Every structure is written in C-alpha cells, then in structure tokens.
Amino acid sequence: MNITRRDFIKNSLIFGGSLFLSPISLHAEQKKAEQWHPAYEKLEEEGKLAQRVEQAYSIFEDCQLCPRQCGVNRLKGERGFCRAPVRPMIFSSQPHFGEEIPLVGKNGSGTIFFSNCNLRCIFCQNWPISHEGKGKLLQDEDLANMMIHLQKIGCHNINLVTPTHVMPNIINATRIALKKGLRLPLVYNTSGYERLEILKILDGIVDIYMPDMKYMDANQADKYSSGASDYPELAKNAIIEMNRQVGELLTDKRGIAISGLIIRHLVMPNRVAGTEKFVRWVAETLPKSTYVNIMAQYHVDYKAFDYPKIARGITVQEFLEAMGWAEEYGLTNLDPQSLALRKFYTFFKRR
Ligand code: SF4
C-alpha cells in the first residue's frame, strides 16, 4: 500500500491531535480557561486602553516602533525603512487553516496580513506584500470592522501578521472593535524584531504572542534580513518579555489557544538558522514546555536564488537533525504537525 506524506501526517494528527485536544489535566488551568476574557477587555475596564492608544500613536511622530528607529514623522507622511504610511495597509483578511492546530480549531484563525515589513528577509515568501507593499490603504475603523467580521464567521482568534510597524493602528482598532463586541484573543504574529519598550505598551493587550526566532547569529541576520545584525539579541530579549507577559500556551476545553506564547523557528539549509543554538537557548532560558514549532517549509523564494547557502530547500536529514536537537535538549511541547512530519520521515528512512 502506498502511503502518501499527506495521509501519514493526517493519521498521525488524528492520534496526536486527540491527545493534544484532550482536556487540560490541571483543574486550576481549566478553570482559568473557562473564565477567560480577552486581555484588552480588562485593560479597557480599568480605563487604561485609551491611554495606551494615545501613547502608541504619539510614537508615529518620531517613529521608534521597531529596532530600526528611523525617527521619521509618519503623521506628516514621512516613511522610514518599512515604507509604511500612518494608516494601516492591509493585503487580506480571512480564516486561515494552515496555522498551528490550537489556532486553527474548526473554523480557522482570523488572519489579517499587513502590507510592508520592518525586517524584510531576502527569502520572504510573502515578498509582494512585505517588500513591495501590495495592499489597500484603510482606516483603523475598517481594521476594527475586519476583526468583527472574522469573529462573526466563527474564527477563533485575530491573527495579526507582521504587526510591528502598525501597532498603534492595531490597538486603536482593537478598542473600536471591543466596543462593537470583539471578544477574540489577539495573536501578535511577528518576526521577533521588536523593541522591549514597545512590547511593554502591549502588555495586557495581546493574548497570544507568536514570534519567529529566525537566526541565532548576527552575521546571518545581517546578510539575509536587510542588515539587521542585532536581530538575534533583540529577538531573544523580546521572547523573554513575551513569555513574562503571557506565559505558556493555555487552551480551552476544545483545545483552542486562548493565551500564551508560541515560538516559530524555520529550519534553513546549511544550518543558517542556528537551530541547535536556538533549542538550547529555549531549554536554558524558558520553560521546557514552551510551545515551539520547528518548521520544515523553507523554500527558495524572492532573492534567495542569489545566495548559494540558502538557494535550495532543506533536506530530510536537516529537518530530522533539528527535531533531534529539540528532543536532546528536552523540549516537551513541540508542534504536533512537526512531530508528525518527523514520524513520517523516520518511517520512510527505515523502509
Ligand atoms: S516601524 Fe518603520 S518607520 Fe518606524 S522605526 Fe520601524 S522601520 Fe522605521
């Protein structure tokens, strides 16, 4: 019988997923999940959300929203490294079924793709959106309406993709949407190239942080992410802060994520991403039960064809090596899809 990779992963997930979706054993955790309200609702009740919006908007005047710290006045139409205007530019908004299982659930993750990017990796798979800024210029009110629409059609969260350069718009829109009935968790789906001062403004607003950890080495970050040699240090500090704010991933009784941290790490060819260093760092710095997704889907895109070290996909061996390190360093909450993929590759290697 021929078993395809898709069948194998599907079957593994039915088994693994049922384990994953089983009720959380700790009574206290379950109670916490049942009584859950989005973080920003509490902040609004305390009268602090409006202040945060004001504080965030004032940063546009001398833009320091990300580590590029361009200092441009976006309120006056100036543009910095990210080329983003002061209003939100949005490429798309829809339920997405390709995200991590706790985000997708039955009805999908309510994904909003923002145009432009403050990191701009040369291998970006979304380069027309992130590098070329394809999208539609909207108002914060429109963004709020999108959030409400995603909630209406049953999405389990609002998944903000590449949010850093539009953070003030996001929190303003969240406040508008809250008044219109928004009650979904906010997922801050970021490259990890963040400033601590800015993340502190988000404390009590974001429910789920989903940062990438792209590289552990300054030279790789410099070369492949538009001169961002400070990426590894800043992303590590950002993840520690995110963990302080939201802690480990918490799901409700359906297995849907309601708060916590998910770290994504894309395995790259020729060990460019520094995977061993990454998993060791997680194991030594954060709880070993931190949700980590070691991703195998790197493919050559955009300008990556011009860089010999990353001008090919990863091998099975490279992915298995990455998963092996995660196991060796004792990480206990790896994404079920990456575990299923490892099982699939191991199964066929043995045949
Ligand atoms: S958000 Fe854009 S303009 Fe602001 S500091 Fe970052 S790159 Fe520069």
Side-chain angles (χ1 to χ4, degrees), residues 159-270:
N159 185 346
L160 305 151
V161 185
T162 323
T164 314
H165 57 288
V166 281
M167 181 278 262
N169 309 95
I170 289 171
I171 61 174
N172 189 30
T174 301
R175 185 158 186 258
I176 299 169
L178 173 65
K179 289 184 181 147
K180 296 182 178 195
L182 185 73
R183 292 297 178 273
L184 293 180
L186 290 190
V187 183
Y188 209 71
N189 184 343
T190 161
S191 66
Y193 197 41
E194 299 284 349
R195 295 182 64 216
L196 282 187
E197 296 84 342
I198 302 299
L199 289 177
K200 291 203 165 126
I201 301 175
L202 292 169
D203 191 0
I205 297 177
V206 168
D207 301 285
I208 300 168
Y209 280 105
M210 187 158 65
D212 294 334
M213 187 69 222
K214 290 177 184 291
Y215 332 86
M216 299 299 284
D217 178 82
N219 293 327
Q220 313 286 17
D222 183 34
K223 190 168 180 182
Y224 301 121
S225 288
S226 309
S229 55
D230 51 359
Y231 175 90
E233 282 319 300
L234 295 182
K236 280 193 277 183
N237 291 340
I239 291 172
I240 291 169
E241 168 63 15
M242 291 170 186
N243 184 62
R244 183 196 68 76
Q245 287 183 23
V246 295
E248 288 176 58
L249 194 71
L250 181 65
T251 56
D252 64 12
K253 56 187 168 197
R254 298 166 302 164
I256 307 289
I258 48 177
S259 68
L261 175 67
I262 296 175
I263 308 175
R264 285 175 163 178
H265 175 80
L266 182 67
V267 180
M268 292 185 69
N270 293 303

Side-chain angles (χ1 to χ4, degrees), residues 315-335:
T315 62
V316 167
Q317 194 44 46
E318 282 170 327
F319 178 68
L320 291 178
E321 174 185 75
M323 293 298 285
W325 283 322
E327 193 178 48
E328 193 183 312
Y329 289 105
L331 301 191
T332 58
N333 197 4
L334 296 173
D335 178 77

